[in-house]
Amino acid sequence: MGSAAAFDFSRASLPTQLFINNEYVDPKTPATFSVYNPRDDSLVSDKVPQAGLDDVNAAVAAATAAFPQWKAITASERRRILLKFAALVRDHAEALGELTRVTLGAPYNAFGKFEIGLCADAFEYNAGWIDKFAGEAYPQQDGFMRITRHEPLGVTAGIVPWNGPLGTVGLKAAPALATGNCFILKPSEKTPFAALALGALIKEAGFPPGVFQVLSGDGQTGALLASHMQIRKVSFTGSIATGKRIQKMAAESNLKRVTLELGGKSPAVVFNDSNLDNAVTWCVNAITTNSGQVCFAASRVYVQEGIFDQFSQKYKAALEERAKRINDPEHEDTLMGPLVDKAQFQRVTGFVERGAQTNKLLTGGQRVGDKGFFIQPTVFTGVEPDAELYREEIFGPVSILNSFKTEEEVVKKANAIEYGLMAGVFTQDINKALRVASEFESGMVGINCISLNFLNVPFGGSKQSGLGRECGRSVLEHFTEPKTVMINLTY
Ligand code: NAD
């Protein structure tokens, strides 16, 4: 454990206050909501604070007041604060993991450790950019010199989902803060505690008051942020439906900038000449990690006819092996925990029950145990392109497995839907791999891999999977405004 004396949170003492202007405070108008543990649907807390308009206004006022100082702070000082915050997140990873696990249900070793590490990594990565994100100078011409600068936007907000409660914070807050913006975080109403606990670490790291704040609440709090006249940008990760609402609110308020990281229905295309075991391993991990509640999960698998039977057998066997590791997320060796809550369980099992009426089940389809929201990894075969299983994001451990004959046919199938987050191609033929990679209508493509990301390259979707990019240099551009300065050299 690290030295943050103020961090005394655990499942026995959950954080139940908002974090505004470097202080934990109650909502100005008392309002709370409840959260449950998906391993048995027991009540975890009915005291999670719901931030209302006055709280949002207080946070925006504090951020507005802090912005001039934060924008002007030296690069080395800003970097020191971000790096200290990253170190504190690492020091408290297990405690933060517990605060997430009690309402998300994802096991720490199989998922929590990764997504909290991603948060710390993102702060370290973006801290490194602080004095390297240079503008441009153009050749002198006609007596004028032209330079561009990247100006921070001011008060920004991040609205995040429940499936990667701290990983998504790292992807948004770190670049926002590194480029000199103030940042207000709204975690999902399903996973509020790790985010609220960050307040103690924010203060300990040395962020000045108002620079980095946390407001818990549901979609109403999110809407207050998205439509606020003094917030200059919202970076959102979540469903397409909510993303569209946020873009509308942004346009109808102050035309704030919007980044949208939305859903996926990612195709994995496996050719006859692929390394079969490698393809199976990636496809299995990609649909079972976090019980399939991953935006870029490989939920449509297309396998060429020559190896279809072999692939099916291995895929089925590996998923059934994985199903043996479905267990209480509190156990160290559990690989798959429950779905996040009753609503998600009903949604996923609804897809499975309707799908089973008209499609063939290769494996799974059943609930595991009689309490909590555990479900087997489930695969349907021979699903028709107009079926909901084919076209809609299920967000659980459910995939469809179809065969194909030719490259042309499979590219058409892969691109036939509105999602475009991630795609994967498995083959030993580099020419074919690169050809297919360029044909995919997708923001990200894996060759002999799928469902992965790196902090130093753009992350995001095309078509209805998103707008804008996170990670790499791209995210810094999305959190800044270019300013062009023209210098008359003749006076
Ligand atoms: P969601 O859209 O229901 O909620 C996401 C966030 O938006 C939550 O914090 C919620 O409180 C808030 N919200 C809800 N209604 C709002 C409104 N009207 N105005 C403002 N904010 C509002 O999504 P979810 O169920 O939490 O997450 C699952 C979805 O997220 C899936 O579709 C998944 O694919 C997607 N996702 C995408 C990525 C990515 O990087 N592309 C990563 C993770 C998850």
Side-chain angles (χ1 to χ4, degrees):
M1 274 286 170
S3 58
F7 190 102
D8 58 359
F9 302 117
S10 68
R11 72 175 63 206
S13 79
L14 296 164
T16 52
Q17 288 184 299
L18 309 173
F19 187 73
I20 299 177
N21 212 19
N22 272 9
E23 299 299 334
Y24 278 111
V25 294
D26 291 325
K28 290 187 194 297
T29 306
T32 54
F33 60 92
S34 301
V35 281
Y36 300 85
N37 191 327
R39 74 179 179 151
D40 54 10
D41 206 22
S42 58
L43 181 71
V44 174
S45 172
D46 57 3
K47 296 188 176 50
V48 189
Q50 165 87 15
L53 179 60
D54 290 343
D55 307 303
V56 169
N57 283 339
V60 173
T64 305
F67 178 54
Q69 184 203 347
W70 181 243
K71 178 180 157 180
I73 203 168
T74 62
S76 55
E77 179 64 0
R78 197 186 294 159
R79 183 169 54 236
R80 192 190 61 69
I81 295 170
L82 263 70
L83 290 176
K84 182 155 185 206
F85 181 75
L88 288 167
V89 168
R90 284 195 202 290
D91 285 350
H92 294 81
E94 285 193 23
L96 292 166
E98 181 177 26
L99 293 175
T100 291
R101 193 166 66 248
V102 289
T103 63
L104 175 62
Y108 183 71
N109 286 336
F111 187 71
K113 200 196 290 187
F114 155 76
E115 75 101 17
I116 292 166
L118 177 64
C119 178
D121 288 349
F123 272 86
E124 287 163 1
Y125 173 78
N126 283 283
W129 267 108
I130 291 174
D131 58 359
K132 301 173 192 68
F133 185 40
E136 290 173 324
Y138 289 78
Q140 286 183 33
Q141 215 184 329
D142 309 330
F144 287 88
M145 185 180 171
R146 285 145 273 220
I147 58 174
T148 61
R149 303 161 48 91
H150 303 288
E151 303 271 333
L153 301 169
V155 183
T156 63
I159 301 176
V160 300
W162 44 265
N163 68 323
L166 287 196
T168 47
V169 173
L171 299 189
K172 296 181 191 310
L177 295 163
T179 46
N181 299 284
C182 294
F183 186 82
I184 300 171
L185 166 67
K186 195 207 79 69
S188 166
E189 59 274 32
K190 298 186 186 191
T191 49
F193 296 126
L196 287 172
L198 290 182
L201 307 184
I202 289 168
K203 200 167 175 176
E204 171 93 9
F207 283 104
V211 170
F212 189 0
Q213 305 175 89
V214 188
L215 299 177
S216 53
D218 60 14
Q220 295 172 58
T221 308
L224 289 169
L225 294 169
S227 53
H228 202 285
M229 290 301 288
Q230 272 84 50
I231 293 178
R232 296 294 164 194
K233 175 176 174 106
V234 170
S235 178
F236 170 75
T237 298
S239 61
I240 291 180
T242 308
K244 286 181 177 176
R245 275 185 219 119
I246 285 178
Q247 194 175 23
K248 191 161 178 247
M249 285 185 269
E252 286 177 351
S253 53
N254 59 348
L255 209 60
K256 59 179 62 63
R257 279 49 177 152
V258 175
T259 294
L260 303 176
E261 293 290 350
L262 310 176
K265 186 82 178 173
S266 301
V269 170
V270 184
F271 283 96
N272 287 339
D273 62 356
S274 65
N275 178 316
L276 196 58
D277 289 334
N278 177 60
V280 169
T281 301
W282 281 97
C283 288
V284 167
N285 288 339
I287 198 68
T288 55
T289 299
N290 201 13
S291 299
Q293 302 167 124
V294 174
C295 56
F296 53 28
S299 52
R300 289 185 291 151
V301 182
Y302 299 95
V303 180
Q304 207 166 13
E305 280 182 346
I307 56 162
F308 185 79
D309 290 343
Q310 253 181 303
F311 183 95
S312 305
Q313 282 164 20
K314 287 192 175 222
Y315 189 48
K316 178 176 188 299
L319 287 169
E320 286 170 2
E321 205 51 44
R322 187 62 53 95
K324 293 180 189 159
R325 306 279 295 277
I326 296 174
N327 205 344
D328 187 333
E330 298 301 326
H331 294 183
E332 273 186 11
D333 57 354
T334 298
L335 286 183
M336 283 178 77
L339 298 175
V340 68
D341 64 3
K342 192 172 190 171
Q344 185 68 6
F345 180 76
Q346 286 172 341
R347 186 183 136 79
V348 174
T349 50
F351 274 107
V352 171
E353 282 160 17
R354 290 189 299 279
Q357 288 167 14
T358 46
N359 299 281
K360 195 171 160 245
L361 257 179
L362 178 72
T363 184
Q366 299 298 316
R367 180 181 195 164
V368 177
D370 55 6
K371 63 173 186 178
F373 305 120
F374 299 85
I375 176 170
Q376 293 174 327
T378 299
V379 183
F380 290 97
T381 54
V383 181
E384 292 297 328
D386 58 350
E388 64 169 14
L389 284 177
Y390 198 106
R391 313 191 80 80
E392 287 187 35
E393 182 184 46
I394 297 173
F395 221 52
V398 182
S399 67
I400 60 169
L401 174 63
N402 281 0
S403 67
F404 70 92
K405 283 188 171 63
T406 67
E407 182 181 324
E408 195 188 3
E409 172 202 348
V410 78
V411 165
K412 216 165 147 191
K413 285 180 167 167
N415 291 340
I417 63 173
E418 280 295 306
Y419 291 99
L421 188 56
M422 154 89 48
V425 51
F426 294 83
T427 171
Q428 305 279 352
D429 176 347
I430 189 67
N431 294 334
K432 185 161 59 186
L434 291 174
R435 216 164 44 230
V436 173
S438 69
E439 289 296 325
F440 279 139
E441 293 171 357
S442 172
M444 298 173 286
V445 178
I447 294 178
N448 294 321
C449 57
I450 189 167
S451 311
L452 74 170
N453 64 314
F454 294 98
L455 282 169
N456 62 347
V457 283
F459 177 94
S462 60
K463 294 160 86 174
Q464 292 198 37
S465 284
L467 192 71
R469 291 290 182 270
E470 295 192 315
C471 301
R473 187 186 161 96
S474 292
V475 70
L476 305 174
E477 285 165 359
H478 286 292
F479 269 109
T480 52
E481 197 84 67
K483 178 181 278 177
T484 305
V485 180
M486 293 154 280
I487 306 161
N488 183 344
L489 298 171
T490 57
Y491 287 90

